[in-house]
Amino acid sequence: MRKTRFSLLILMTCSALLVMSGCMATTKNLDPEADLHYDASYDFSDKNRIVERLVTPLLSAPVFPVQAKPILIVYPVINETSEHISTGGITDDIRMKLIQSGRFRFINERQRWNIEQETDYQNQGYVDPAMRVEQGRQLGADYILSGTLRSIKKKQPKQLRLTKKERIYYSLDLTMTDLKTGEIVYADQAELAREASQPILGW
């Protein structure tokens, strides 16, 4: 009897340890450049692929001569997908790569309000006149860089099966608009398509 109780106690202890180990949280580092996906939805590796796909041909576009270094102003990528996607990362990465290329110059539109506040402060008499930033000397943009992110999602029709599949198509349209004429002088598109499947039963 004692042996049976002891064996039962060991079995219960082992079972509890297995359950506890399964519930413990774990953390590991991932390579941000790796192509990793848990499902069909948009994730950080998609951002890297989209940015690379759009920046590479833009840098060699004959519309923008190497010597000219046109001045760009970037407006946020518009999210027209059904997902909550922060497109600011796409905008920032495109701008960063273009700046690092040395082919373009950029106006920091996000700091316009702060620049206005600072120049107003300097001209209220608090700053040495010789050190004041002269108003009316800011650069004017030559082009507006903008984009739109869209998606199409398709699910398998209901039927008897062991797994369910989902397909998602993403496209990001990038355009460059001449600020003087309003003409679109450059346009490109990056596309992604993915299919994900998962078992009907599971957790």
Side-chain angles (χ1 to χ4, degrees), residues 52-178:
E52 192 65 33
R53 163 64 186 81
L54 291 172
V55 168
T56 301
L58 177 57
L59 290 176
S60 58
V63 181
F64 313 106
V66 177
Q67 299 83 2
K69 281 195 176 183
I71 301 172
L72 309 184
I73 184 168
V74 182
Y75 282 89
V77 172
I78 299 172
N79 180 14
E80 291 188 358
T81 72
S82 58
E83 303 173 49
H84 178 69
I85 298 174
S86 176
T87 57
I90 300 175
T91 304
D92 291 345
D93 280 13
I94 290 175
R95 175 169 39 211
M96 179 184 67
K97 288 184 177 296
L98 292 178
I99 289 175
Q100 290 175 345
S101 73
R103 289 285 310 278
F104 300 91
R105 301 163 71 189
F106 284 84
I107 291 174
N108 194 344
E109 77 286 352
R110 294 181 182 176
Q111 294 298 325
R112 278 178 167 170
W113 172 251
N114 291 332
I115 292 172
E116 181 181 347
Q117 291 293 99
E118 179 61 24
T119 52
D120 285 347
Y121 172 81
Q122 290 188 15
N123 284 279
Q124 290 176 9
Y126 300 109
V127 177
D128 185 338
M131 300 182 66
R132 291 176 189 167
V133 174
E134 185 179 349
Q135 292 181 316
R137 298 300 299 272
Q138 293 185 30
L139 297 175
D142 299 310
Y143 300 98
I144 296 174
L145 183 64
S146 59
T148 304
L149 182 65
R150 299 181 176 91
S151 68
I152 300 175
K153 183 182 293 186
K154 293 290 185 180
K155 293 183 179 180
Q156 273 186 311
K158 291 183 178 181
Q159 54 182 307
L160 184 62
R161 59 183 183 274
L162 296 178
T163 61
K164 57 181 179 180
K165 294 184 178 181
E166 180 182 56
R167 292 177 180 175
I168 301 184
Y169 164 83
Y170 294 99
S171 68
L172 177 59
D173 297 311
L174 190 73
T175 59
M176 193 85 77
T177 305
D178 190 312

Side-chain angles (χ1 to χ4, degrees), residues 5 7-17:
R5 288 180 179 177
S7 299
L8 184 60
L9 179 61
I10 292 176
L11 180 62
M12 291 176 63
T13 303
C14 291
S15 299
L17 289 173

